[in-house]
Amino acid sequence: MKLNSFYPWISAIVLVFITTAVQGQQNCDSLKKEIPTFCKLLDDDARLEFPKDYAKIAACMEIDSVTEMLLGYEVIKMRALHLQRVKDRLFTYGDWMDMVAELKASKAYHNAVQLMGLIQHKINRADWEQITKLMRDSMLPENLTALELEKMEKMLFDPKNKGKKFIEVMEHIK
């Protein structure tokens, strides 16, 4: 008897969840057609607005710190300008979401995620070998040269850095 009165409540809860999900998807679909606010502003104001625009996208899809790092302000701005010049149209949140989806499917993204995890470990040779391999796979040769990996390795494995994490030492390298 009690079970029969419970069904309407469960049905109502499920209906609320479905309605909320559909409404959220509609908001994301309409957002895809909008032009991000930062695109309408001059550089200094655009930089301030950029994180707010990213937050709008984050309401529709997962945005992690690696995505924000790899698709920062300058990269997104260049893509927006490229679309204006080449395709003669304005950059939209949909274009931005497509960039995020493409990035997350790329090898560079997966390497960056691995790299970000490894630099949180305590300094050790096995992880250092993996870090350098990921860097070589993901970076241009001239950028690798600029990093001076041999110098970085000497700093990391200096006895005074024993027991520290990679990130703790790397953040002091200039």
Side-chain angles (χ1 to χ4, degrees), residues 48-156:
L48 293 174
E49 196 62 36
F50 187 75
K52 296 174 191 171
D53 286 335
Y54 238 130
K56 288 180 182 179
I57 292 174
C60 296
M61 64 190 315
E62 183 184 341
I63 302 292
D64 58 13
S65 60
V66 175
T67 302
E68 287 183 19
M69 177 185 69
L70 295 175
L71 292 179
Y73 174 76
E74 294 298 332
V75 173
I76 300 295
K77 179 182 165 186
M78 285 188 326
R79 177 64 181 255
L81 292 172
H82 176 77
L83 273 177
Q84 263 183 301
R85 287 186 196 123
V86 174
K87 295 191 177 181
D88 196 30
R89 70 176 183 83
L90 295 175
F91 184 75
T92 65
Y93 283 109
D95 295 320
W96 198 344
M97 290 175 178
D98 291 345
M99 286 177 69
V100 169
E102 287 172 23
L103 173 72
K104 286 188 172 190
S106 74
K107 183 179 179 183
Y109 173 79
H110 294 285
N111 285 353
V113 169
Q114 268 189 292
L115 188 64
M116 296 302 281
L118 287 168
I119 64 173
Q120 299 301 323
H121 294 178
K122 289 191 181 219
I123 297 171
N124 66 76
R125 287 281 172 198
D127 286 343
W128 174 246
E129 294 302 319
Q130 186 65 24
I131 288 169
T132 56
K133 181 184 180 306
L134 289 169
M135 287 178 165
R136 286 186 181 100
D137 287 349
S138 303
M139 299 175 80
L140 296 171
E142 55 268 14
N143 293 344
L144 278 173
T145 304
L147 281 177
E148 299 177 337
L149 291 176
E150 294 80 22
K151 184 178 174 183
M152 190 183 301
E153 182 176 12
K154 285 179 185 176
M155 287 182 74
L156 287 167

Side-chain angles (χ1 to χ4, degrees), residues 153-168:
E153 182 176 12
K154 285 179 185 176
M155 287 182 74
L156 287 167
F157 292 98
D158 188 307
K160 70 179 180 183
N161 293 322
K162 187 174 178 116
K164 291 184 180 179
K165 294 179 180 181
F166 286 101
I167 190 70
E168 294 171 343

